[in-house]
């Protein structure tokens, strides 16, 4: 249960340790970087002198060509089902606007890059024809005029203008036949599903089949560039077709699920999910090479999976020592693992989590080396037409906030989809930045197959119902060009349909195989369903003293803030040396540092986590002259040298928490911590809490050990910063009211009252052989309360997190008539009142763990007080909040005693903003328990 640790150097050695290489390993604001972050070096780029001269000599021609690059997309007819007349003229694209005449000769070299211009001179008329063909063509256009970086704009212009000419030479006839086969199979899959399962909402890919051409091209490019992992986030439309046709998922798995069975093996307790949320994690063979593709689970909040994929990608990058995790200088992120995100059109424009994700794209400790995005633009959100679902021209316009180029492509042209995918991939590899493909297509059957879209969109569906499918159009094209014969097309379809029928016949005998606790998770198991287990998380204090001293060590010459030097650094050293009054921040540093010593990596993320919201943590020190930051714990030179990543997040909860969840589900041996600035801010991430954190294991067998720190406490700060809404988390847990809990609850919720308890619960997350998300109702005033401290004995071997803390005073058990139960900081206020009254008939018991509910431990404590007649639950929160409604039925059902409530009365908001009312409430809730 606990890796053996030998006694290690004393505090004296640590306190004098000089970190000779701190500049290379620990600075954050400097150009040298820190663990998990290396600043991008400026790229050197200069437009060749001859090109500059050509552009200066023909300024009007250059301005005209640039206008096409900036505005040409407005005239492009990339919409296969448009009901609006296409704009045909734009003054900015008129050569006359620049003083150019149609028969005038110009020299396009250095200005325009289309290979079709073999001659050094051409006419304005011919150049206009090529510009219209390239930038206003019927199947593809580009937006990149807003990209500020000159090198990127030049690169995009060169490569986009060569795109059409590369079509025939890049896509061989064999390649085109492969694409056709994918599209034919996609159509066959949807037809088969419609026939065999006519009452199922399958969210088929009809109208968007060209997304298979996107993945076909993407995987080929990925193996050619020696990528090892591709992590994908994808909504439900067309998902099962992609998974079964290109990503090696057995169709029988889908059919088995649709027959009413689970996708998990017999005996697995997972409640499972719908077919459109199926997960993929496969080693794929592409062009003779192996690449691993994992597709994260997606809930019906379609875009919520995107930051999960980003976090999972970064975790893989850390494991593979990709990017800033590498010892190799200059190695960019996404050298080994690449992130791919698919979006729905209405969801991308409408859901704010996308803005948050894009805002994270290049933030230190969140960047993944640029994601490739595909918007499957069905041009309708449920029933709402596209232009009613946004205030911008394009659904992709949010991409402009990070200057990501966008390629608009007609989904009727799978070849151009493939070519644009190659172009997007090449851009991402060149610049390691986000790039978007906006694939304009349609939904043949409306939002789902049981819908009637003509109720609300009759004109659009009149077009859709009277046009051929994308696979049929492309097949006919290849047949006309003698690339594919009618017999070959028929055989592809008939053979695939036969295969699907064979798979359907296997359903009665099909036994799902486990796809969990494999690879990096193979040493992890499910939690015990029999009992609540205890884990020895204590350590030799000599080692902890060394770690604690190291947590405030800094290099010679580093200018520490004088207040921190006195209170934080010198104060911590003194407490550690004395082994007394160890505070919350010190205990946290000991927990994190000891896990790092054992070889685990730790990541703490959130707003202001380096300093801590309440200026208590200071896990990063800032040089007061150079502004460079230093992470002392990354200077540990003993043990197995895990690393600490301190990730100051954007001002977001939803996307950031999802990102951390993505990291936690990838690697069980990294401690991932997310801290809310104040506990109530977690409500901004409720979608992630509901759909992933508390339900992911139950739905999908995705275990995770994510730690959520939620500062909580009624200190007169009104409703916004008082409550982390404990009641919400307790309502979301699957703790039982009528039977004792075991370790196997969906989420563990603790409200620790001592630094040692916090130390043990953090270490327990990785010491155990199973993983559960942990919600810590974290303190505010306890961070500095002298009564809320621990001694060195509380950390020694044999110590552990205790689910219940009994009364530690000298009250005689046989004299106790009243037992008060509470949780969290309220204990200290109650104990102070008890001491002031010198009450000997009252015991106070602390529930440190709320879920799992500690029935056995409470029973053992209550057995001490055989003469007790009154049992009280005391809390700061209002009656309709806090833990009361959770504790009462469990206490009464499992312990057989009536429990009396004592706390604030019911209220619609968590705390008053009136100082006098707050004081009156505090007085009442502290005095009343002793009057009952």
């Amino acid at each position: 249960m606990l890796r053996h640790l030998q006694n290690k150097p004393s505090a004296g050695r640590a306190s004098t340790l000089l970190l000779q290489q701190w500049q290379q390993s620990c600075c954050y604001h400097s150009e040298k970087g820190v663990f998990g972050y290396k600043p991008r070096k400026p790229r050197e780029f200069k437009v060749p002198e001859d090109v500059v001269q050509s552009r200066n000599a023909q300024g009007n021609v250059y301005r005209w060509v640039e206008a096409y690059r900036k505005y040409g997309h407005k005239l492009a007819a990339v919409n296969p089902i448009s009901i609006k007349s296409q704009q045909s003229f734009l003054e900015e694209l008129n050569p006359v606007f620049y003083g150019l005449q149609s028969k005038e000769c110009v020299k396009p070299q250095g200005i325009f890059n289309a290979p079709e211009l073999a001659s050094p001179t051409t006419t304005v008329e011919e150049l206009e024809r090529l510009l219209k063909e390239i930038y206003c063509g019927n199947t593809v256009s580009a937006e990149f005029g807003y990209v500020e970086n000159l090198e990127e704009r030049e690169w995009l212009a060169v490569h986009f203008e060569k795109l059409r000419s590369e079509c025939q030479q890049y896509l061989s006839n064999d390649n085109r036949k492969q694409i056709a086969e994918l599209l034919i199979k996609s159509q066959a899959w949807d037809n088969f599903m419609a026939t065999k399962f006519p009452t199922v909402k399958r969210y088929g890919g009809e109208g968007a089949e060209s997304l298979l051409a996107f993945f076909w091209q993407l995987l080929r490019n990925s193996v050619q560039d020696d990528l090892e992992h591709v992590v994908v986030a994808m909504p439900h439309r067309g998902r099962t077709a992609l998974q079964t046709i290109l990503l090696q998922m057995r169709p029988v798995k889908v059919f088995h699920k649709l027959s009413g069975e689970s996708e998990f093996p017999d005996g697995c307790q997972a409640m499972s999910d719908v077919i459109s949320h199926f997960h993929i994690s496969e080693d794929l063979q592409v062009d003779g090479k192996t690449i691993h593709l994992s597709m994260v689970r997606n809930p019906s909040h379609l875009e919520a999976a995107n930051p999960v994929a980003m976090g999972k990608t970064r975790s893989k990058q850390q494991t593979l020592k990709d990017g800033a995790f590498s010892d190799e200088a200059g190695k960019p992120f996404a050298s080994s693992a690449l992130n791919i995100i698919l979006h729905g059109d209405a969801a991308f424009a409408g859901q704010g989590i996308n803005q948050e994700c894009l805002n994270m794209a290049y933030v230190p400790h969140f960047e993944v080396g640029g994601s490739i995005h595909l918007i499957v633009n069905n041009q309708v959100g449920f029933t709402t037409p596209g232009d009613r679902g946004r205030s911008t021209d394009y659904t992709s316009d949010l991409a402009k906030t990070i200057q990501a180029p966008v390629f608009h492509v007609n989904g009727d042209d799978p070849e151009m989809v493939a070519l644009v995918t190659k172009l997007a991939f090449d851009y991402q590899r060149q610049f390691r930045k986000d790039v978007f493909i906006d694939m304009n297509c349609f939904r043949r059957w409306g939002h789902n197959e049981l819908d009637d879209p003509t109720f609300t969109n009759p004109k659009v569906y009149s077009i859709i119902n009277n046009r051929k499918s994308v696979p049929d159009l492309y097949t006919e094209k290849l047949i006309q060009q003698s690339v594919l014969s009618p017999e070959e097309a028929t055989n592809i379809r008939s053979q695939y349909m036969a295969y699907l029928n064979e798979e359907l016949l296997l359903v009665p005998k099909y036994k799902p195989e486990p796809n969990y606790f494999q690879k990096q998770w193979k040493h992890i198991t499910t939690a015990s369903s029999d009992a609540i287990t205890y884990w020895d998380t204590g350590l030799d204090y000599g080692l902890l003293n060394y770690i604690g001293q190291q947590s405030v060590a800094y290099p010679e010459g580093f200018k520490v803030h004088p207040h921190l030097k006195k209170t934080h650094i010198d104060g911590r050293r003194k407490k550690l040396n004395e082994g007394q009054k160890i505070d919350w921040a010190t205990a946290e540093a000991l927990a994190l540092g000891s896990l790092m010593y054992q070889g685990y990596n730790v990541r703490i993320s959130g707003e202001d986590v380096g300093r801590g919201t309440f200026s208590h943590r200071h896990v990063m020190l800032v040089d007061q002259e150079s502004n460079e930051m230093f992470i002392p714990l990354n200077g540990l030179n003993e043990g197995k040298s895990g690393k600490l990543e301190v990730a100051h997040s954007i001002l977001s909860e939803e996307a950031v928490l999802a990102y951390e969840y993505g990291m936690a589900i990838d690697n069980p041996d990294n401690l991932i911590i997310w801290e809310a600035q104040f506990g109530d801010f977690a409500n901004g991430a409720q979608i992630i809490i509901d759909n992933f954190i508390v339900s992911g294991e139950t739905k999908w067998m995705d275990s995770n050990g994510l730690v959520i720190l939620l500062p909580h406490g009624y200190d007169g700060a009104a409703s916004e910063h008082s409550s982390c809404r404990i009641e919400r988390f307790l309502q979301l847990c699957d703790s039982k009211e009528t039977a004792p809990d075991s370790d196997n609850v969906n989420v563990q919720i603790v409200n620790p009252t001592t630094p040692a308890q916090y130390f043990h619960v953090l270490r327990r997350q990785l010491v155990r052989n199973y993983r559960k998300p942990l919600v810590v109702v974290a303190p505010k005033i306890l961070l500095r309360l002298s009564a809320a401290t621990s001694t060195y004995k509380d950390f020694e071997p044999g110590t552990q997190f205790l689910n219940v803390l009994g009364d530690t005073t000298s009250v005689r058990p046989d004299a106790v008539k009243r037992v008060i139960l509470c949780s969290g900081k309220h204990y200290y206020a109650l104990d102070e009142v008890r001491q002031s009254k010198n009450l000997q008939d009252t015991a106070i018991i602390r529930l440190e763990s709320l879920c799992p509910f500690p029935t056995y431990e409470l029973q053992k404590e209550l057995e001490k007080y055989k003469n007790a007649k009154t049992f009280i639950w005391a809390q700061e929160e209002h009656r309709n909040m806090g833990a009361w409604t959770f504790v009462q039925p469990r206490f009464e059902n499992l312990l057989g005693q009536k429990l009396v409530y004592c706390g604030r009365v019911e209220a619609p908001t968590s705390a008053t903003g009136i100082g006098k009312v707050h004081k009156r409430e505090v007085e009442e809730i502290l005095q009343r328990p002793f009057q009952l």
Side-chain angles (χ1 to χ4, degrees):
M1 292 184 181
L2 177 64
R3 298 182 185 183
H4 178 67
L5 291 175
Q6 296 180 343
N7 207 345
K8 283 294 173 182
S10 66
R13 176 180 173 184
S15 64
T16 59
L17 186 64
L18 294 178
L19 304 181
Q20 299 296 330
Q21 298 178 345
W22 66 277
Q23 293 94 340
Q24 286 74 32
S25 63
C26 301
C27 292
Y28 180 77
H29 278 304
S30 74
E31 296 181 359
K32 301 177 180 65
V34 69
F35 177 73
Y37 168 65
K38 293 178 183 176
R40 295 192 184 197
K41 293 183 178 180
R43 298 169 62 99
E44 293 184 4
F45 175 77
K46 186 177 181 180
V47 178
E49 188 61 34
D50 61 325
V51 172
V52 174
Q53 291 177 0
S54 177
R55 293 174 181 178
N56 287 336
Q58 301 182 93
N60 287 343
V61 176
Y62 179 57
R63 289 195 300 127
W64 178 45
V65 171
E66 281 288 287
Y68 266 93
R69 291 166 180 162
K70 190 172 183 178
Y71 303 114
H73 60 88
K74 293 186 176 184
L75 303 186
V78 296
N79 187 349
I81 55 166
S82 177
I83 60 174
K84 297 180 179 179
S85 58
Q86 181 67 33
Q87 186 176 359
S88 60
F89 178 79
L90 199 64
E91 185 64 30
E92 290 93 335
L93 304 185
N94 186 353
V96 177
F97 190 74
Y98 303 91
L100 302 172
Q101 303 301 318
S102 60
K103 300 302 182 181
E104 181 179 346
C105 286
V106 295
K107 298 178 180 180
Q109 277 69 24
I111 297 177
F112 188 54
N113 308 286
E116 294 91 333
L117 285 174
S119 173
T121 61
T122 188
T123 63
V124 168
E125 184 178 45
E126 174 61 15
L127 183 56
E128 183 177 29
R129 183 188 67 79
L130 288 172
L131 285 168
K132 285 183 177 179
E133 184 178 297
I134 290 171
Y135 284 102
C136 311
N138 289 328
T139 60
V140 66
S141 65
E143 281 190 280
F144 56 84
Y146 48 82
V147 175
E148 293 179 3
N149 183 274
L150 177 60
E151 181 187 4
E152 291 179 44
R153 289 202 313 276
E154 293 285 324
W155 189 96
L156 288 162
V158 168
H159 289 79
F160 186 75
E161 286 161 12
K162 293 179 179 179
L163 188 64
R164 285 186 174 276
S165 65
E166 291 179 348
C167 183
Q168 292 183 341
Q169 65 185 49
Y170 183 76
L171 287 176
S172 66
N173 284 344
D174 183 60
N175 292 151
R176 299 168 78 197
K177 290 172 72 171
Q178 290 179 40
I179 293 173
E181 181 177 347
L182 292 174
L183 268 61
I184 292 169
K185 286 182 176 179
S186 180
Q187 182 167 263
W189 168 263
D190 284 323
N191 290 345
F192 185 89
M193 292 282 282
T195 302
K196 302 298 183 181
F197 304 98
T199 61
V200 172
K201 296 178 182 179
R202 53 189 169 80
Y203 300 102
E206 294 104 320
E209 291 94 345
S210 288
L211 72 86
L212 273 83
F214 166 82
F215 275 101
W216 173 83
Q217 184 64 61
L218 177 77
L219 291 171
R220 293 173 70 235
N221 286 136
S222 296
V223 297
Q224 289 166 8
D225 215 51
D226 295 324
L227 283 163
E228 299 179 47
H229 287 267
V230 172
V231 180
V232 179
M234 178 183 181
H236 48 278
R237 190 158 311 282
R239 186 179 175 110
T240 56
L242 171 68
Q243 291 174 326
T244 53
I245 295 167
L246 196 57
L247 304 184
Q248 299 182 167
M249 186 170 80
R250 290 278 304 277
V252 66
K253 179 178 180 178
V254 179
F255 304 152
H256 182 261
K257 174 68 176 176
L258 291 176
S259 68
E261 302 292 339
S262 171
E263 70 261 35
F264 297 106
D266 293 341
C268 178
Q269 297 302 308
M271 293 176 67
S272 196
D273 203 351
V274 296
I275 62 165
S276 53
H277 296 171
F278 273 176
H279 166 67
I280 278 286
S281 180
E282 294 287 348
D283 287 327
L284 305 178
Q285 297 299 315
V286 180
D287 291 348
K289 294 183 177 181
T290 301
I291 188 168
H292 188 86
L293 183 144
S294 58
M295 182 181 292
V296 300
R297 307 282 190 175
N298 67 309
S300 292
H301 289 273
L302 300 182
E303 306 294 315
N306 302 343
V308 175
M310 293 173 69
K312 186 170 184 177
T313 301
R314 187 171 176 89
S315 178
K316 291 194 178 298
Q317 290 171 343
Q318 181 171 348
T319 300
L320 296 167
K321 294 188 175 181
D322 196 347
F325 297 114
S326 172
D327 296 328
E328 180 183 333
K331 185 177 184 179
F333 273 115
S335 295
S336 300
L338 176 65
N339 187 45
I340 307 298
I341 302 179
L342 274 69
H343 307 272
D345 49 318
F348 181 70
Q351 295 184 9
I353 197 169
N354 289 308
Q355 185 273 336
E356 297 179 21
C357 287
L358 294 181
N359 195 22
M360 286 194 295
Y362 311 127
V363 171
H365 304 288
F366 291 91
E367 65 172 320
V368 293
S371 301
I372 298 177
H373 303 256
L374 174 69
I375 300 175
V376 181
N377 191 349
N378 299 290
Q379 306 181 69
V380 62
F382 196 14
T383 66
T384 304
D387 57 1
R388 292 293 183 93
R390 62 179 186 270
S391 297
T392 60
D393 289 338
Y394 295 112
T395 188
S396 59
D397 280 343
L398 190 61
K400 296 174 183 177
T401 62
I402 59 167
Q403 300 178 46
V406 178
F407 303 109
H408 304 283
V409 62
N410 192 319
D412 277 358
D413 190 345
E415 292 180 10
M416 190 53 69
V417 171
L419 283 172
V420 164
T421 301
K422 178 181 180 298
L423 178 57
F425 184 89
D426 290 344
Y427 171 85
Q428 188 275 335
R429 304 317 285 166
Q430 180 73 15
F431 298 103
R432 293 303 200 266
K433 296 183 68 176
D434 286 53
V435 59
F436 281 76
I437 299 171
D438 172 25
M439 188 179 79
N440 290 260
C441 51
F442 57 92
R443 292 197 309 231
R444 182 165 290 279
W445 304 114
H447 183 67
N448 62 64
E449 290 73 20
L450 308 184
D451 226 0
D452 187 345
T454 61
F455 291 157
T456 51
N457 294 283
K459 285 190 175 182
V460 168
Y461 276 88
S462 175
I463 296 173
I464 293 172
N465 293 333
N466 288 284
R467 55 155 289 157
K468 293 182 179 180
S469 70
V470 177
D472 286 348
L473 287 173
Y474 188 56
T475 301
E476 290 177 5
K477 174 183 175 181
L478 297 193
I479 290 173
Q480 291 172 0
Q481 296 177 355
S482 299
V483 174
L484 185 73
S485 70
E487 294 76 19
E488 287 176 310
T490 300
N491 286 339
I492 291 170
R493 177 181 173 82
S494 60
Q495 289 175 12
Y496 188 64
M497 292 291 276
Y499 166 66
L500 295 180
N501 275 301
E502 291 171 2
E503 288 284 290
L504 185 61
L505 293 174
L506 295 175
V507 168
K509 296 182 179 180
Y510 175 70
K511 299 293 182 184
E513 296 180 357
N515 59 1
Y516 45 89
F517 301 138
Q518 298 177 350
K519 295 184 177 180
Q520 69 266 34
W521 284 82
K522 63 184 178 183
H523 61 294
I524 301 297
T525 185
T526 55
S528 169
S529 297
D530 299 325
I532 296 174
T533 57
Y534 280 85
W535 299 78
D536 182 357
T537 47
L539 294 171
D540 178 86
Y541 190 69
L543 172 64
L544 291 180
N545 196 356
Y546 159 70
I547 292 170
Q549 299 286 350
Q550 184 60 60
S551 72
V552 288
Y554 57 92
E556 184 177 354
F558 190 89
K559 305 298 182 183
V560 177
H561 192 287
H563 181 72
L564 288 186
K565 174 68 168 60
K566 178 181 178 181
T567 60
H568 178 70
I569 297 173
D570 294 344
R572 176 172 294 183
R573 287 172 175 166
K574 183 175 184 293
K575 292 171 186 176
L576 287 166
N577 288 332
E578 294 175 350
Q580 303 296 320
K581 295 187 176 181
I582 296 172
D583 61 18
W584 214 272
T586 302
E588 180 183 77
L590 297 180
L592 304 187
S594 61
L595 288 170
M596 293 164 62
Y597 184 94
Q598 291 177 262
Y600 297 110
N601 291 314
V602 178
R603 173 183 167 96
I604 183 165
S605 164
E607 300 151 18
D608 315 301
V609 290
R611 188 201 75 167
T613 300
F614 310 101
S615 195
H616 72 288
R617 178 175 290 122
H618 297 291
V619 74
M620 301 173 105
L621 301 176
V622 183
D623 188 296
Q624 296 300 294
E625 292 183 1
S626 69
N627 202 44
E628 293 194 358
M629 282 187 171
F630 177 72
I631 305 174
L633 280 174
N634 279 341
L636 286 171
N637 63 350
E638 302 284 348
K640 297 183 179 179
S641 300
K643 292 296 182 182
L644 171 63
E645 184 171 23
V646 182
H648 285 138
S649 74
I650 63 172
L651 195 65
S652 153
E653 284 77 39
E654 183 179 3
V656 172
L657 182 56
Y659 191 102
E660 306 309 322
Y661 172 81
M663 295 201 70
I665 60 172
D666 182 67
N667 193 330
D669 293 329
N670 292 335
L671 181 65
I672 309 298
I673 302 172
W674 177 74
E675 182 178 60
Q677 191 178 73
F678 286 88
D680 60 296
F681 288 173
N683 58 20
Q686 201 65 48
I687 287 172
I688 307 305
I689 293 166
D690 291 352
N691 288 284
F692 291 101
I693 294 171
V694 303
S695 61
E697 184 176 22
T698 304
K699 290 189 291 187
W700 311 313
M701 291 302 294
D702 281 350
S703 295
N704 80 89
L706 178 65
V707 177
I708 301 176
L709 303 181
L710 303 176
H712 173 91
Y714 284 53
D715 307 319
S719 59
E720 294 305 303
H721 294 324
S722 294
S723 176
C724 73
R725 295 290 189 174
I726 300 172
E727 64 278 1
R728 290 182 183 171
F729 291 94
L730 292 173
Q731 187 180 33
L732 291 170
C733 73
D734 60 358
S735 167
K736 300 176 180 62
E737 289 188 6
T738 56
D741 282 336
S742 67
D743 287 338
N744 199 22
V745 289
N746 63 322
V747 59
Q748 303 201 342
I749 304 168
V750 300
N751 194 357
T753 56
T754 72
Q757 284 281 83
Y758 180 50
F759 166 87
H760 289 300
V761 82
L762 287 181
R763 284 188 44 77
R764 191 181 69 173
Q765 281 298 95
L766 295 189
V767 167
R768 296 186 297 198
N769 63 353
Y770 67 90
R771 297 290 179 264
K772 291 286 182 179
L774 173 68
V775 175
V776 179
V777 182
K780 294 187 289 184
I781 67 167
L782 296 193
L783 296 172
R784 294 178 176 84
L785 187 68
S786 60
T789 57
S790 300
T791 72
Y792 74 96
K793 290 185 176 295
D794 300 321
F795 301 89
E796 289 188 329
T799 57
Q800 57 206 319
F801 177 78
L802 299 174
N803 295 323
V804 173
L805 291 182
D807 199 307
T808 57
T809 67
S810 59
V811 173
R812 290 195 350 261
D814 59 352
V816 170
K817 300 293 191 294
R818 179 193 299 111
V819 175
I820 300 175
L821 297 101
C822 64
S823 187
K825 85 174 186 69
H826 197 43
Y827 162 77
Y828 292 99
L830 291 169
D831 186 47
E832 186 177 358
V833 172
R834 179 177 60 170
Q835 291 183 44
S836 69
K837 294 177 179 293
N838 194 27
L839 297 176
Q840 299 298 311
D841 63 347
T842 302
I844 304 177
I845 298 174
R846 286 171 270 177
L847 269 69
E848 300 285 287
S849 169
L850 293 167
C851 181
F853 188 74
T855 303
Y856 174 75
E857 293 89 336
L858 271 176
Q859 187 178 52
K860 297 297 287 184
E861 285 297 321
L862 295 181
E863 286 175 356
K864 298 177 182 178
Y865 310 112
K866 299 186 182 299
N867 296 324
K869 303 299 182 183
T870 304
F871 299 90
I872 301 164
W873 175 256
Q875 67 178 34
E876 289 189 296
E877 300 83 10
H878 293 278
R879 188 168 186 147
N880 57 320
M881 303 171 198
W884 161 245
T885 56
F886 179 85
V887 171
Q888 183 202 20
R890 288 161 180 79
F891 188 87
E892 295 183 354
N893 293 339
L894 301 175
L895 296 168
Q897 298 286 354
K898 181 71 176 177
L899 193 63
V900 179
Y901 174 78
C902 191
R904 286 174 166 86
V905 300
E906 295 86 349
T909 186
S910 60
T912 180
I914 304 171
K916 290 183 179 179
V917 174
H918 172 74
K919 290 180 180 179
R920 185 170 67 245
E921 289 177 345
V922 170
E923 181 68 16
E924 181 179 345
I925 65 174
L926 289 179
Q927 295 298 327
R928 182 164 171 72
F930 301 100
Q931 299 167 355
L932 297 173

